Amino acid sequence: MNTPVVSMDVRHVGGGVAVVDITGDVTATCEQPLMAAYEEASTGGTNRLVLNFTGLEYMNSTGIGMLVTLLVRANRQKQQLSAYGLTEHYRQIFELTRLDEAISIFDDESSALGHAGAS
Amino acid sequence: MTIDPEQAIPLEQIELSVHEAASPAEPGKARDAAFWAPNVTRLTVDADRAAAGFNVAGKRVTGPQQGFGRLWQRTYTVKLGSSVSPQQLITEWKDHFGDFWPKGNRFHGLLITPGEVAPIAVNTGAGMKLSTGVLVLYADDESFTFMTPQGHMFAGWITFSGFADGAGTTAQIQVLIRPNDPIYELGWFVMRRMEDRFWKATMVNVAAHVGVPNAVVEEHTNLVDKHRIWRNAGNVWHNAAIRSVLHLLSAPIRRIRRGRAH
């Protein structure tokens, strides 16, 4: 099994909002770290999850698939999912795969948190 | 098409093609930039494949969240041992993709490069071909992914990959899909069996091609989301099965019109 080249750090920023800082490669190897980060982010009555992609370096189609799985889990828990920090390239991928219709995308953290009602 | 294991390509004749992964990314570009399809709103089909792509041209792609039915992740794997590396496997799979399909089905793709739109004709077993297609969403040297258009049986994507573990190379097909509309959802259990037959036969052919005859294909199914997305029930408007039947029935009218035009 390949070692994940990704790190996922969770910040609880108050108001039921958690930010997951994703740094590195989002591929098949990051399934466990992503789901562990989701579990950690979901503690304490979190109802809004914000994914920070500022440190995203590489993503393949399996990575996009994992985001769908994450989205389904969040929807099941009635949690809202949003994202920020996507470069133009990754924003285009979100549009192409139509993930942007299910995950709200923002330019930066303050906009994302503002939308999430935590700022 | 069934491939005779006797005709399997000797490993020494399998050449690694030049892949984007081997080249460093251009400065300022993401490392994966060359692997993804360009963003498109609606699909276009080449003029020489337009006749086969009548159910694809002008359609939007559909991800898992644009479908209707329950969300399934299905994985088919076959162990190939040391007969081939993951990169060699994917090179061969891309080069002969449609040849590995079971008889009676047709893949109108050419090179399996990101952004290519490939019409397909699927044998429904009811004396009718269902015409739909795929977009090559992603392709690198160890995997490639198709995304489906409106009207396809499934909304989502299908990834073909090769990976190495302690036992050698494994070929994998993984689909993440929802039936696209209520009619397809009703037919899920029939379609599921069809999918099993189709992809298992495909993988046996792939394995034989790289020198592994009589391969055993394993299948694993995971229900990711048991909820249906009712707001997408209107997808039935694009249903490719219905439109394929209508296209077939209207063939005489099209012939008459073409005759008058000449």
Side-chain angles (χ1 to χ4, degrees):
Chain A
M1 189 75 184
N2 294 329
T3 310
V5 277
V6 68
S7 69
M8 310 246 176
D9 300 309
V10 177
R11 290 181 282 135
H12 289 275
V13 295
V17 183
V19 178
V20 182
D21 299 313
I22 300 171
T23 306
D25 298 357
V26 175
T27 64
T29 59
C30 80
E31 183 172 12
Q32 264 192 320
L34 182 64
M35 292 311 157
Y38 172 73
E39 294 295 336
E40 187 184 339
S42 295
T43 56
T46 299
N47 54 25
R48 283 161 186 168
L49 253 80
V50 180
L51 304 177
N52 170 12
F53 285 108
T54 308
L56 177 62
E57 293 175 5
Y58 183 96
M59 182 163 61
N60 64 12
S61 55
T62 309
I64 279 281
M66 278 185 297
L67 294 182
V68 172
T69 307
L70 181 71
L71 173 67
V72 168
R73 290 187 68 175
N75 285 346
R76 206 182 295 157
Q77 299 301 319
K78 307 221 180 305
Q79 295 164 324
Q80 194 180 63
L81 198 57
S82 56
Y84 75 91
L86 290 160
T87 62
E88 182 58 25
H89 167 63
Y90 291 114
R91 202 180 267 250
Q92 296 267 322
I93 291 169
F94 270 56
E95 286 177 18
L96 174 63
T97 56
R98 300 179 70 178
L99 259 185
D100 65 326
E101 295 175 16
I103 301 176
S104 306
I105 295 175
F106 298 93
D107 290 335
D108 51 40
E109 182 165 318
S110 60
S111 325
L113 295 184
H115 178 77
S119 57
Chain B
M1 176 182 171
T2 304
I3 290 170
D4 183 354
E6 296 292 317
Q7 295 175 357
I9 297 175
L11 267 184
E12 59 270 22
Q13 287 181 19
I14 300 176
E15 292 180 13
L16 269 178
S17 61
V18 178
H19 297 290
E20 300 91 335
S23 320
E26 287 177 42
K29 273 197 164 183
R31 277 157 50 216
D32 54 42
F35 307 147
W36 286 95
N39 192 9
V40 290
T41 308
R42 294 192 180 272
L43 300 176
T44 54
V45 181
D46 294 347
D48 54 348
R49 290 182 281 179
F54 67 89
N55 262 341
V56 183
K59 301 290 186 193
R60 298 190 70 188
V61 287
T62 53
Q65 292 308 100
Q66 283 75 48
F68 169 79
R70 291 164 293 178
L71 178 61
W72 300 89
Q73 184 180 59
R74 311 197 71 205
T75 308
Y76 303 89
T77 54
V78 62
K79 293 193 181 303
L80 303 174
S82 55
S83 67
V84 67
S85 72
Q87 292 82 5
Q88 289 168 330
L89 167 70
I90 294 304
T91 300
E92 288 300 305
W93 210 339
K94 285 178 183 170
D95 288 351
H96 302 278
F97 186 80
D99 297 338
F100 297 134
W101 279 16
K103 195 178 172 186
N105 301 282
R106 183 101 190 261
F107 177 76
H108 295 273
L110 295 175
L111 298 170
I112 308 204
T113 51
E116 182 186 6
V117 177
I120 61 177
V122 181
N123 187 355
T124 62
M128 190 205 78
K129 291 268 174 74
L130 188 155
S131 294
T132 177
V134 291
L135 166 74
V136 181
L137 176 69
Y138 180 93
D140 65 20
D141 62 342
E142 292 186 357
S143 69
F144 54 99
T145 299
F146 295 159
M147 191 168 180
T148 60
Q150 291 169 316
H152 192 285
M153 299 81 80
F154 306 118
W157 39 76
I158 177 165
T159 297
F160 307 84
S161 61
F163 59 87
D165 54 24
T169 296
T170 297
Q172 177 174 285
I173 299 174
Q174 188 168 69
V175 300
L176 184 64
I177 49 163
R178 290 181 194 273
N180 222 329
D181 66 38
I183 294 176
Y184 290 136
E185 175 72 353
L186 277 171
W188 165 251
F189 286 102
V190 174
M191 291 197 299
R192 176 181 169 152
R193 283 199 295 274
M194 285 171 63
E195 285 279 297
D196 277 348
R197 278 200 299 271
F198 189 97
W199 291 123
K200 283 180 178 176
T202 297
M203 293 197 91
V204 165
N205 289 339
V206 170
H209 182 74
V210 297
V212 182
N214 307 316
V216 177
V217 180
E218 292 182 10
E219 182 269 326
H220 178 73
T221 298
N222 179 29
L223 177 59
V224 180
D225 184 12
K226 66 180 180 184
H227 298 101
R228 296 175 177 92
I229 306 178
W230 286 94
R231 67 174 178 274
N232 294 336
N235 288 353
V236 72
W237 171 253
H238 297 282
N239 186 295
I242 294 172
R243 286 174 177 255
S244 295
V245 171
L246 294 175
H247 188 78
L248 188 67
L249 294 176
S250 60
I253 298 169
R254 285 196 304 279
R255 270 198 297 274
I256 291 168
R257 281 184 180 164
R258 273 199 302 270
R260 284 182 180 164
H262 292 122

